[in-house]
Amino acid sequence: MNKKGIRKPRVLAVDDVSVVLNAINAALEAHYEVFCLTKAEQVTRFLRSAEAAPELFILDIEMPGMNGFELIDAIREFEAHKDTPIIVLTGNATVRNFHVAIKRGVTDFIAKPVDPKVLLEKVNAQIKRK
């Protein structure tokens, strides 16, 4: 909650590199409540137990175990998240990965390293659309 008692929109970021999660948090924390997870497998547990669901996801594609594409499918299995915006943030920004992400319903695609201002602008745009 901010000073006026209004809850900040929630963003769930998932990346296996803590430095990336720290950068995401630093870029967004003034405007959003940011939750960070280092393993894709933690997301379904988080979504089942969270009192309030995130309004946006930021996901890495290449992670050990469940990858980002599999995670997108798992998120979309939750009725409450069929249309929740998902931004993919990846160090492997290939045309193939872009097309696969779009086919899975990703709303934006950002190559690493990301500029914090660009990330904030893209998150703001997706939250406003929602």
Side-chain angles (χ1 to χ4, degrees):
M1 298 260 179
N2 64 17
K3 292 176 185 178
K4 296 179 182 178
I6 299 170
R7 181 183 67 79
K8 292 180 183 179
R10 292 180 175 95
V11 174
L12 176 58
V14 185
D15 196 301
D16 59 312
V17 179
S18 60
V19 172
V20 173
L21 291 173
N22 291 340
I24 291 169
N25 188 57
L28 302 178
E29 68 183 346
H31 305 281
Y32 297 96
E33 186 175 356
V34 182
F35 298 91
C36 297
L37 298 175
T38 57
K39 295 181 182 172
E41 293 82 3
Q42 298 169 320
V43 173
T44 54
R45 191 172 334 120
F46 177 88
L47 293 177
R48 283 190 198 108
S49 65
E51 289 182 19
E55 282 85 10
L56 181 133
F57 295 91
I58 299 173
L59 309 177
D60 186 17
I61 292 175
E62 295 183 1
M63 295 182 283
M66 180 188 289
N67 69 36
F69 295 132
E70 295 165 330
L71 179 55
I72 292 165
D73 294 342
I75 290 169
R76 296 296 189 216
E77 288 180 14
F78 286 82
E79 188 63 36
H81 296 295
K82 294 259 186 233
D83 298 315
T84 302
I86 296 175
I87 296 175
V88 169
L89 181 63
T90 183
N92 191 8
T94 64
V95 172
R96 180 193 174 282
N97 281 345
F98 176 80
H99 286 295
V100 172
I102 295 301
K103 285 181 182 178
R104 284 188 157 83
V106 167
T107 52
D108 210 336
F109 191 91
I110 305 172
K112 291 178 186 175
V114 66
D115 180 284
K117 291 179 184 177
V118 171
L119 178 63
L120 180 58
E121 288 172 6
K122 288 182 174 268
V123 169
N124 286 342
Q126 293 302 322
I127 293 293
K128 285 178 185 174
R129 280 189 196 138
K130 187 176 181 194

